[in-house]
Amino acid sequence: MLPLLNTRGALRGWREAASAPVVLVPTMGALHEGHAALIRTARQLAQPEGSVVVSIFVNPTQFGPGEDYSRYPRTLAADEALCRAAGADVIFQPEPASMYLPGHSVTVEESALSRGLCGAARPGHFRGVCTVVAKLFHLVQPETAVFGEKDYQQLAIIRRMVRDLDFPVRIVGHPTVREADGLALSSRNRYLTAAERTAAAGIPRTLEEARRRVEADPQIRVRSLEEWVASALAEATGGRVDYAAVVDAESLEPLEFFDRPARLAVAVHLGAARLIDNVALSTDNGAGGHSSGGKV
Ligand code: AMP
């Protein structure tokens, strides 16, 4: 069994004796092969002598009213086994009451990159994310933290927070890990019925087709590509498209033309799940760049 730390005090005690470098992988648990890939990368970055911490915390402040906080899957025994097999040294799994003291009133808010995409649909979500990640960085004091490109907006926002608030933490992004049919692994995929799960493969198929369209015609208007993606997603999945947007890969600002590195990001409501995915778009003028997402 890996050491399981449940309080901030226990973590602090562990941290004082931990050997450097310390590498952190923040998660909400219900771990799958995508998380395992992040933990294996953290193990490599930490070298054999360093320390890999996986935090498991379903952070209440990043869920909105009516979202899935209370039914979010909690699978600690399986998570422990996965963390151990992937090379973690310790799990930090605090109780909400241990992370948020009564009357807590200070938050971290990113005010530009958080506005669009998931930020528009989930008000306060990224405030919750930034606040909890800032707290984890202070508590764990990692040299490096690993985040997945699956949550591309989150990764960009964390990079901005670290830059703007001078956190001494290196952020490493990891390509999205996918099922054999392309669907991005997600703890929320288990909300899907068998039929919805089959239909969900229409998301990565549509992103891949969009990527090919831009490659074939770099002059294509962003707006017309977005419209095509939105209708192709609705048709392929039978779901309700929340957004299909092409943004600047770093600032996440809307684009008009493919004249710099771009990212296509989408969110689709399918049954009880809200699924997100994204892809790098590259054109002949050298913008973009492929991400080499792994399959499991
Ligand atoms: P979560 O537990 O969903 O909050 O995710 C914890 C971390 O794992 C985040 O940095 C996610 O971006 C990352 N992650 C989740 N799913 C995947 C995936 N399929 N591929 C790569 N990273 C992932």
Side-chain angles (χ1 to χ4, degrees):
M1 285 281 281
L2 289 180
L4 185 62
L5 310 173
N6 289 122
T7 63
R8 298 189 300 171
L11 177 70
R12 215 173 285 126
W14 174 85
R15 182 62 182 86
E16 276 162 18
S19 47
V22 172
V23 182
L24 170 67
V25 182
T27 81
M28 297 203 300
L31 303 182
H32 50 62
E33 264 305 306
H35 299 109
L38 269 58
I39 298 166
R40 285 194 291 270
T41 296
R43 182 74 265 161
Q44 281 175 356
L45 294 167
Q47 316 268 308
E49 64 275 14
S51 309
V52 174
V53 186
V54 177
S55 62
I56 296 180
F57 183 58
V58 186
N59 173 34
T61 67
Q62 70 189 67
F63 287 79
E67 290 187 354
D68 55 346
Y69 174 69
S70 52
R71 70 190 165 99
Y72 197 84
R74 282 139 170 110
T75 59
L76 186 60
D79 291 352
E80 192 276 337
L82 181 144
C83 287
R84 192 153 30 91
D89 294 305
V90 65
I91 295 173
F92 177 47
Q93 195 219 13
E95 289 299 317
S98 164
M99 284 296 270
Y100 293 107
L101 303 181
H104 65 92
S105 56
V106 178
T107 57
V108 179
E109 181 140 14
E110 193 289 326
S111 58
L113 287 72
S114 309
R115 263 189 259 135
L117 308 177
C118 286
R122 306 182 69 189
H125 169 67
F126 288 115
R127 187 191 317 121
V129 169
C130 285
T131 303
V132 81
V133 171
K135 287 166 70 70
L136 289 170
F137 284 177
H138 287 312
L139 291 164
V140 177
Q141 298 173 44
E143 273 81 14
T144 303
V146 185
F147 290 84
E149 287 182 355
K150 155 80 167 34
D151 299 273
Y152 191 82
Q153 186 176 19
Q154 169 175 281
L155 173 60
I157 290 169
I158 297 296
R159 285 191 197 284
R160 180 62 63 90
M161 178 184 84
V162 162
R163 188 197 77 170
D164 285 358
L165 296 184
D166 303 300
F167 279 90
V169 181
R170 173 172 59 132
I171 304 300
V172 171
H174 190 288
T176 300
V177 178
R178 299 177 179 281
E179 302 275 9
D181 65 1
L183 180 65
L185 291 178
S186 164
S187 309
R188 290 183 165 107
N189 290 351
R190 66 186 73 195
Y191 298 155
L192 300 170
T193 64
E196 288 161 356
R197 169 63 190 83
T198 304
I203 297 173
R205 257 203 325 273
T206 304
L207 293 189
E208 180 54 22
E209 171 63 19
R211 194 187 63 71
R212 274 200 298 268
R213 285 182 180 220
V214 174
E215 211 167 49
D217 177 13
Q219 308 304 321
I220 187 172
R221 293 291 291 257
V222 165
R223 222 52 69 217
S224 72
L225 185 83
E226 287 173 335
E227 281 164 20
W228 178 81
V229 171
S231 67
L233 278 176
E235 193 175 331
T237 66
R240 182 168 60 80
V241 178
D242 180 359
Y243 63 78
V246 175
V247 295
D248 179 293
E250 199 184 320
S251 71
L252 306 188
E253 276 165 18
L255 290 186
E256 201 166 332
F257 300 101
F258 291 98
D259 52 359
R260 54 204 136 129
R263 205 89 187 181
L264 167 63
V266 304
V268 180
H269 289 274
L270 194 52
R274 180 176 180 278
L275 304 176
I276 59 172
D277 203 347
N278 67 85
V279 67
L281 299 175
S282 67
T283 62
D284 280 342
N285 59 26
H290 299 279
S291 90
S292 53
K295 302 241 189 219
V296 294

